[in-house]
Amino acid sequence: MNFSEVFKLSNQLCKFSPDGKYLASCVQFRLVVREARSLQVLQLYTCLDQVQHVEWSADSLFILCAMYKRGLVQVWSLEQPEWHCRIDEGSAGLVASCWSPDGRHILNTTEFHLRITVWSLCTKSVSYIKYPKACQQGITFSRDGRYLALAERRDCKDYVSIFVCSDWQLLRHFDTDTQDLAGIEWAPNGCVLAAWDTCLEYKVLLYSLDGRLLAAYCAYEWSLGIKSVAWSPSSQFLAVGSYDGKVGRAPAVGSPRTARVAGVPTQCVSYVGLPQVRILNHVTWKMLTEFGHPAAISDPRVVVYKEAEKSPRGALGQPACLPPRAAESKYEIAAGPVSLQTLKPAADRANPKIGVGALAFSPDSYFLATRNDNVPNAVWVWDMQKLRLFVVLEQLGPVRSFQWDPQQPRLAICSGGSKVYLWSPAGCVSVQVPGEGDFQVLSLCWHVTGASLALLSKDHLCLCFLETEDEADGALGQLGAHT
């Protein structure tokens, strides 16, 4: 691996362009666009205020900078650096801004979610969409860019509207049988829309493009419900992460109940115990299997990698006195049964550290990575072909972020320290980020080709350039054999 020099950064605003040619980063008022390989500065733009959000258009020709405090959006062109666009929402304010899939329209959400304004860069026309709902994930575009699904709240009821992105005409409008709709997400094939309820109610609803309810799923009642949702890239699986733990009042374990959701029979089984990921299949939309997250791993088929410190040795074999960032670490294969470090959640506070808070499928849909928030140092990797736990990686610190390589089953992990961790089926490795000072990796993002990885700290960014796939697998394989 090779590392670039360290560059300044604000608010972890760093994005690769969709075509992989450019890297955009923000430093206070300035937007810096670099060539993704050489990191040579191509363009330098000055915004009117400190930037809070950056987003590339789908064709990588324009870049959007949102300044929520000022209610402003500025758009810059890479082909015509002298051209720029300024959108001022005025007294309506601004809380969110995003591109449409065609890269020629901008959707701005005003304060208090009063409306969404659709601005056209080509015709300079303006359209309005009323009643957007303030929720976890209320806007989702289909993968082919043809449709927009929007969560709405009217007359104390939840609705979903589907718009055609070519002319922003309403295609379908239907209500959802939810108490407080928390989010919606298109399947990658664009055929099914998933909607889920507030964390106080376990309910997942699956709709067709024409608004028909295909299925409804409820795992249990009277306890905290859904915390995370993720589609597999193949659209064959919908993973639903839940709280499950002993939070709130719940009936006895195993007492089945039958309910009806919008006329569709739903089997509700109350469950109190370990946080679960439930896998729904795309044929019947019933649960295929469920993955528990126990604090002790006893299955001999599961490989558990534990990060361990390697203390440098000084003269006469004595431990060397080095600064904290110089402490190296490596992965060791732990012999079972293995106990993982757990965190006792504060049940009397909002957003307790419990439940499956992060889900991510590998690009080939072969693996699913998860994080159980009350086992904060561990990443669980599940084999989706055999439907069982495959690997557990336990870090020395809490896992801040993990993300799959877009081109192959290779997982990058960071835990807020000065190291980045990579796992593939061939093995795993811990890599120290070089340079002066303590570079704490808080988040990361992959280049579209998987050839490089942007590492982001609070005030800086650094690029990690990886070897080819064969070289990387060879290095990981040697490491796995060594440990």
Side-chain angles (χ1 to χ4, degrees), residues 92-257:
L94 182 67
V95 296
S97 183
C98 67
W99 284 103
S100 66
D102 66 359
R104 297 299 179 269
H105 294 80
I106 294 174
L107 282 69
N108 285 345
T109 304
T110 62
E111 286 186 346
F112 308 109
H113 285 73
L114 297 178
R115 67 170 186 255
I116 292 178
T117 310
V118 183
W119 300 84
S120 172
L121 299 185
C122 298
T123 65
K124 299 182 181 180
S125 61
V126 181
S127 304
Y128 299 99
I129 302 175
K130 295 182 179 180
Y131 313 113
K133 181 178 172 63
C135 59
Q136 175 186 356
Q137 188 174 328
I139 296 178
T140 177
F141 291 98
S142 59
R143 185 70 62 88
D144 59 10
R146 297 178 62 186
Y147 304 108
L148 161 69
L150 176 68
E152 299 180 353
R153 186 75 173 178
R154 306 185 186 189
D155 303 322
C156 301
K157 287 196 65 177
D158 291 326
Y159 296 86
V160 170
S161 289
I162 299 178
F163 297 87
V164 180
C165 293
S166 58
D167 56 9
W168 305 105
Q169 294 298 311
L170 181 65
L171 179 66
R172 288 288 185 273
H173 175 73
F174 53 91
D175 63 336
T176 61
D177 188 25
T178 52
Q179 292 186 6
D180 186 5
L181 183 63
I184 53 177
E185 178 72 24
W186 285 107
N189 61 14
C191 296
V192 179
L193 180 70
W196 57 96
D197 213 331
T198 173
C199 65
L200 300 177
E201 181 81 11
Y202 197 118
K203 188 183 297 182
V204 182
L205 306 171
L206 289 309
Y207 293 95
S208 64
L209 184 60
D210 59 4
R212 290 181 297 111
L213 181 63
L214 301 176
Y217 177 74
C218 172
Y220 54 82
E221 293 181 309
W222 316 114
S223 187
L224 291 179
I226 297 171
K227 191 168 186 178
S228 55
V229 174
W231 285 98
S232 68
S234 64
S235 302
Q236 294 177 303
F237 305 115
L238 178 64
V240 183
S242 60
Y243 288 89
D244 273 25
K246 299 179 180 179
V247 179
R249 183 179 178 184
V253 174
S255 59
R257 298 186 179 184

Side-chain angles (χ1 to χ4, degrees), residues 237-385:
F237 305 115
L238 178 64
V240 183
S242 60
Y243 288 89
D244 273 25
K246 299 179 180 179
V247 179
R249 183 179 178 184
V253 174
S255 59
R257 298 186 179 184
T258 302
R260 298 187 69 84
V261 180
V264 177
T266 307
Q267 190 71 20
C268 297
V269 180
S270 61
Y271 185 93
V272 178
L274 299 169
Q276 301 281 318
V277 174
R278 293 171 175 84
I279 306 298
L280 309 185
N281 73 85
H282 74 296
V283 178
T284 64
W285 299 115
K286 294 182 180 180
M287 188 181 73
L288 188 63
T289 188
E290 57 185 0
F291 298 144
H293 293 70
I297 309 298
S298 56
D299 189 341
R301 299 173 300 172
V302 178
V303 180
V304 180
Y305 291 100
K306 277 182 171 285
E307 184 188 6
E309 289 185 350
K310 291 195 302 183
S311 299
R313 309 301 295 181
L316 301 178
Q318 297 299 319
C321 296
L322 295 176
R325 83 174 305 277
E328 298 180 359
S329 69
K330 64 175 182 177
Y331 279 115
E332 296 178 347
I333 297 179
V338 181
S339 295
L340 305 176
Q341 300 180 34
T342 59
L343 178 68
K344 184 177 181 181
D348 58 342
R349 297 182 181 180
N351 302 315
K353 295 291 184 180
I354 190 172
V356 180
L359 297 167
F361 280 95
S362 62
D364 55 9
S365 301
Y366 284 4
F367 298 101
L368 171 66
T370 65
R371 186 192 67 219
N372 176 10
D373 288 349
N374 64 320
V375 187
N377 294 14
V379 175
W380 312 63
V381 181
W382 308 84
D383 187 331
M384 295 305 299
Q385 293 180 305

